Amino acid sequence: PEEEEFSADRLHRMNWELVECVADLGLAAIDRHFNPEVGLQAYDDMYPLLSKPDVSERFKTDEEFGRQRLGGVNPFMIQRCRELPDPAKFPVTDETVAGLLPEGSSLAAELEAGRLYMLDYALLDGIEPREGFFLTAPLCLLFVDPQGRLMPLAIQLGQSPEAGPVFTPKDEFWLWQTVKTFVNSADGQYQEAVSHLLKTHLVLETFAISTHRQLAKGHPVFKLLRPHFRFTMAINHSARHGLLAHGGPIDTVFSMGVDGGLALIAKAWNEDTWTFQDYVLEHDLEKRGVEDPEKLPNYHYRDDGRLMWATTERFVRDVLGVFYKSDADVQEDFELQ
């Protein structure tokens, strides 16, 4: 619908960002032609105009790897271990992580203290990558060290020992770095397809359409929801015809490609038990065992999210309280029904 199209200002900003990116890539290509670089320096050289991300200076550290699980683009995967990893699935022992835990500690002691955490990308298992590309379904064990930092302990690039060995920070530096990069790649692709595209864009669009179809524009719930739907249909329409097209950005940048991404979305949709309760922040935090700041510090998604949730809930309650005094008021609103 015309009223759902991008505003002139939004289009201007999007197009200007595109121009900046194209100009930056063009200058970088010219520079590489005359000054070819190999190795990681080639990535830094991709920013002659745009600001280079700060993470480029620290991404090789285990501390940064742990920080991204809490304050990166996909802070939804981290979960506290309620038992030690199943040795038949992820054979991590005290001998495996010897020298990585505080002196005198053990996996059982860290588990008891609530300092042991897991990333499990089981949903990626069986998703076929594009020909010539790679995609893993990693398991990653982490712990909170005495400085309050979330640090990786062990990684297995698959859902069983048959997928390969267990790697640790004791491995050779570039081997360990490569293993962490596989985890980051899996995390980025899961985030793009499931956390972002499915659970944000696609789910929200169904509510946007229902609101427009069922509620009058003067309805208080319409007024309340309308700002949250701004440009949702437009960006999703653009994504379907560009981002998600064969030969488009997702297809060429992500190793799973468009077909793998859509298969992952379908798998997530069919395997998950979708309830409104799962979208309640506190319920999600408790379900994953990450609700305690003492046990898991520096989890900004949780800490900032609680402030935003409380403020939003207070506002919504105040607005709806003007129109709905009881459950009966809701039930008698035929538009909502």
Side-chain angles (χ1 to χ4, degrees):
E2 187 175 340
E3 63 186 64
E4 294 299 319
E5 291 285 359
F6 291 122
S7 65
D9 175 65
R10 177 64 178 263
L11 278 173
H12 173 75
R13 285 187 286 117
M14 291 171 65
N15 289 334
W16 179 247
E17 288 176 1
L18 183 62
V19 168
E20 286 182 314
C21 289
V22 170
D24 186 87
L25 289 171
L27 289 174
I30 294 172
D31 181 60
R32 284 200 307 276
H33 178 75
F34 291 101
N35 302 293
E37 290 281 359
V38 294
L40 294 175
Q41 182 60 40
Y43 289 95
D44 285 342
D45 291 345
M46 294 292 287
Y47 297 92
L49 289 179
L50 301 177
S51 297
K52 185 173 65 175
D54 292 339
V55 72
S56 69
E57 304 296 334
R58 59 177 191 267
F59 78 95
K60 288 180 281 189
T61 68
D62 285 357
E63 181 178 359
E64 175 60 22
F65 179 87
R67 187 202 68 79
Q68 288 186 20
R69 314 286 69 91
L70 303 177
V73 296
N74 192 30
F76 318 109
M77 299 301 295
I78 187 79
Q79 53 185 311
R80 179 166 54 85
C81 292
R82 292 179 167 88
E83 57 186 10
L84 292 176
D86 180 357
K89 181 178 181 180
F90 189 19
V92 181
T93 65
D94 286 326
E95 183 179 358
T96 309
V97 298
L100 300 176
L101 296 175
E103 188 174 353
S105 187
S106 65
L107 289 174
E110 296 299 315
L111 177 75
E112 180 68 22
R115 292 192 292 263
L116 213 56
Y117 292 84
M118 179 75 80
L119 304 171
D120 187 350
Y121 297 91
L123 208 61
L124 291 171
D125 196 31
I127 300 298
E128 290 293 327
R130 292 185 293 134
E131 186 177 354
F133 289 77
F134 303 92
L135 180 65
T136 63
L139 290 161
C140 178
L141 187 67
L142 309 98
F143 87 112
V144 177
D145 72 3
Q147 289 76 47
R149 303 174 302 178
L150 185 67
M151 303 289 280
L153 280 174
I155 294 172
Q156 179 178 280
L157 295 179
Q159 292 291 303
S160 70
E162 287 72 33
V166 174
F167 300 94
T168 75
K170 295 184 290 184
D171 285 309
E172 186 272 326
F173 175 82
W174 282 111
L175 173 60
W176 178 239
Q177 191 64 34
T178 302
V179 170
K180 289 189 295 180
T181 301
F182 267 97
V183 176
N184 278 331
S185 173
D187 185 76
Q189 296 185 75
Y190 183 97
Q191 187 271 339
E192 176 64 25
V194 180
S195 305
H196 182 73
L197 179 58
L198 172 60
K199 292 190 176 183
T200 304
H201 283 266
L202 302 184
V203 167
L204 188 65
E205 186 173 20
T206 65
F207 289 94
I209 292 172
S210 298
T211 297
H212 279 285
R213 286 179 174 174
Q214 303 300 334
L215 302 182
K217 290 185 177 181
H219 194 288
V221 175
F222 184 101
K223 296 288 191 182
L224 193 62
L225 292 176
R226 183 72 179 95
H228 296 282
F229 301 147
R230 193 173 190 219
F231 305 142
T232 295
M233 295 183 202
I235 198 71
N236 288 2
H237 179 77
S238 176
R240 290 186 184 101
H241 291 83
L243 195 67
L244 292 170
H246 284 94
I250 293 293
D251 210 24
T252 54
V253 172
F254 287 82
S255 59
M256 63 182 178
V258 165
D259 292 335
L262 293 177
L264 179 59
I265 286 173
K267 189 176 181 182
W269 179 262
N270 290 323
E271 290 190 6
D272 210 337
T273 52
W274 291 73
T275 69
F276 282 113
Q277 191 72 2
D278 289 332
Y279 280 83
V280 176
L281 177 64
E282 207 59 41
H283 178 268
D284 170 62
L285 296 175
E286 292 174 2
K287 186 178 179 181
R288 292 188 287 118
V290 294
E291 73 277 11
D292 190 346
E294 294 294 324
K295 293 179 179 177
L296 185 62
N298 303 312
Y299 190 17
H300 305 304
Y301 168 73
R302 173 198 61 213
D303 301 335
D304 295 348
R306 279 172 167 164
L307 296 174
M308 295 176 68
W309 181 279
T311 302
T312 305
E313 183 177 39
R314 197 159 53 241
F315 172 72
V316 171
R317 283 185 182 276
D318 287 347
V319 172
L320 293 182
V322 174
F323 302 94
Y324 303 99
K325 305 298 184 184
S326 67
D327 289 347
D329 291 339
V330 177
Q331 292 168 346
E332 292 169 5
D333 184 334
F334 70 90
E335 289 182 63
L336 280 183
Q337 296 307 316

